Amino acid sequence: MTAIDLGLPSRSSLLPVRRPSRRLSVGDVPVGGGAPISVQTMTTTPTADVDATLRQIAEVTAAGCDIVRVAVPTQDDADALPAIVAKSPIPVIADIHFQPRYVFAAIDAGCAAVRVNPGNIRKFDDRVGDIADAATAAGVPLRIGVNAGSLDPRLLAKHGRATPEALAESALWECSLFEEHGFQDLKVAVKHHDPLTMIAANRLLAERCPYPLHLGVTEAGPAFQGAIKSAVAFGVLLADGIGDTVRVSLSADPVEQVRAGNHILQSLGLRPRKLEIVSCPGCGRLQVDIHRLAARVEAAFDGFPHPLRVAVMGCVVNGPGESREADLGVSCGNGKGQIYVRGQVVRTVPEQQVVDALVEEALRLGEQAELPEAGDTP
């Protein structure tokens, strides 16, 4: 069965050239080396609560998460890892701070990767060789994670604060500790709450190391503010081809973090589009409550299985043009809506019937997408 094109314009010629990097595998998810950019998040449940953690992992997986990280601050959390790894539908990364012994516990539990922050692991320098040996034997990559709030004290003293140079130097130095033991299955993340600092630090890393980079604006803030800060930072770097995985660190449900990450990648053409609502912001020309109408359309199309661009427009200036450029569209005015399908007006309906009409036309397009073409065997 061959699906037909629903009409979304090709963006392949506009995609950035990806920065070359080493490829590694986080479970069954390839990272770096030109692999698709993956979306990550972190659970907010106590890891020791296996059932609650697995429920949240199921929720973020359904939202489009590729890799999930769990915190391991206590022995009870470490003891829960084998059960979580065994039942998680996506690869699990253990997030380790302060205690090297939990790194070994995570590797033994079968975690797909382990995040370490050498800047705040006690006596870390003395355990690098042991950790490298254990990770090599198990085929487990390590993520070097450097945050502004937990920068190595020696580098903080040298630079005075968490500058881009300090963050990059810390990450490169920590990578070198593992390189001395022949270990190179590394992924690197340098994070800061300020997008400009984070961008500069990642540009430095992109020039100076071959490892895949995980992007994140740490402590980005509440959902609205954090999503904007993350979109700005990710957009700049990804447009330059820098970045192999992302996490949108919002003070919000992990599901919202995943949705934001997916939307950012979709907007850049780096992940297949799903639903996209094109709607006008509103002005004095409008003859319809466009904000309410756009929200109703978005709700009506939630979960639609085919990629669609739906234009919801409220006046004759931009409405017809935007509607013609979308798979489906409506241009409203005078209590009516002209319904467009692939650039052609197919009917005019009363304003109160616009949402139903769009859904009906979308279902027709969906049926066409599933029809076998001539010569195909049903």
Side-chain angles (χ1 to χ4, degrees):
M1 182 179 293
T2 304
I4 65 172
D5 183 8
L6 283 180
L8 288 176
S10 172
R11 310 181 94 196
S12 58
S13 63
L14 302 177
L15 293 179
V17 176
R18 297 279 298 281
R19 160 186 170 265
S21 63
R22 293 174 58 90
R23 177 173 289 201
L24 52 82
S25 295
V26 178
D28 59 0
V29 176
V31 174
I37 297 171
S38 55
V39 173
Q40 301 188 24
T41 191
M42 191 169 183
T43 56
T44 58
T45 57
T47 304
D49 188 338
V50 173
D51 289 342
T53 301
L54 285 172
R55 281 195 300 272
Q56 195 166 74
I57 291 175
E59 291 171 356
V60 299
T61 301
C65 187
D66 301 301
I67 300 169
V68 68
R69 187 155 42 108
V70 299
V72 187
T74 71
Q75 186 62 52
D76 287 342
D77 298 316
D79 292 341
L81 289 175
I84 293 171
V85 169
K87 294 183 179 180
S88 174
I90 57 177
V92 175
I93 297 178
D95 191 83
I96 310 295
H97 294 267
F98 305 118
Q99 295 292 345
R101 70 175 184 271
Y102 297 150
V103 176
F104 301 105
I107 292 173
D108 291 341
C111 288
V114 179
R115 182 272 177 105
V116 295
N117 187 341
N120 61 18
I121 291 185
R122 301 188 187 103
K123 299 182 179 178
F124 182 85
D125 295 9
D126 298 333
R127 305 304 306 272
V128 171
D130 295 335
I131 291 173
D133 289 343
T136 298
V140 172
L142 300 175
R143 170 180 151 189
I144 300 294
V146 178
N147 283 4
S150 53
L151 188 65
D152 186 285
R154 292 166 287 189
L155 290 171
L156 192 58
K158 174 183 176 181
H159 291 274
R161 57 190 178 87
T163 64
E165 294 76 14
L167 293 167
E169 183 178 343
S170 178
L172 292 170
W173 170 71
E174 291 160 8
C175 288
S176 73
L177 298 178
F178 288 96
E179 292 167 345
E180 290 175 358
H181 297 275
F183 189 85
Q184 294 185 316
D185 281 342
L186 299 170
K187 179 173 61 175
V188 184
V190 291
K191 296 186 176 184
H192 197 282
H193 67 271
D194 174 53
L196 293 178
T197 301
M198 177 267 195
I199 290 168
N202 276 279
R203 282 176 166 165
L204 290 173
L205 276 181
E207 294 173 354
R208 300 178 187 178
C209 80
Y211 302 116
L213 301 181
H214 171 75
L215 304 184
V217 178
T218 192
E219 287 90 40
F224 180 77
Q225 172 184 293
I228 291 175
K229 290 170 69 173
S230 298
V232 168
F234 295 1
V236 169
L237 290 169
L238 292 171
D240 286 341
I242 298 172
D244 300 284
T245 73
V246 300
R247 181 200 176 189
V248 181
S249 299
L250 307 176
S251 297
D253 190 299
V255 167
E256 296 306 313
Q257 300 179 20
V258 172
R259 288 175 175 164
N262 275 285
H263 277 295
I264 291 171
L265 295 182
Q266 289 170 25
S267 296
L268 291 167
L270 294 168
R271 179 158 286 212
R273 288 179 180 269
K274 293 185 179 179
L275 175 68
E276 179 185 6
I277 303 293
V278 178
S279 59
C280 55
C283 70
R285 293 188 299 267
L286 292 184
Q287 297 179 342
V288 65
D289 185 343
I290 199 68
H291 302 155
R292 180 172 177 270
L293 180 58
R296 290 176 57 212
V297 171
E298 183 177 34
F301 281 88
D302 186 36
F304 191 76
H306 300 287
L308 281 178
R309 178 178 285 120
V310 183
V312 183
M313 306 301 295
C315 80
V316 297
V317 176
N318 294 317
E322 291 289 356
S323 297
R324 282 193 297 268
E325 290 294 317
D327 300 300
L328 296 174
V330 59
S331 182
C332 295
N334 297 320
K336 299 178 181 179
Q338 283 188 321
I339 305 298
Y340 288 75
V341 177
R342 293 177 177 160
Q344 301 297 319
V345 177
V346 296
R347 54 175 158 153
T348 300
V349 299
E351 182 182 309
Q352 62 268 26
Q353 296 179 17
V354 162
V355 176
D356 289 341
L358 288 173
V359 170
E360 289 170 6
E361 298 301 336
L363 291 174
R364 289 193 183 96
L365 284 178
E367 290 172 358
Q368 293 175 34
E370 298 299 328
L371 288 175
E373 293 184 343
D376 286 351
T377 301

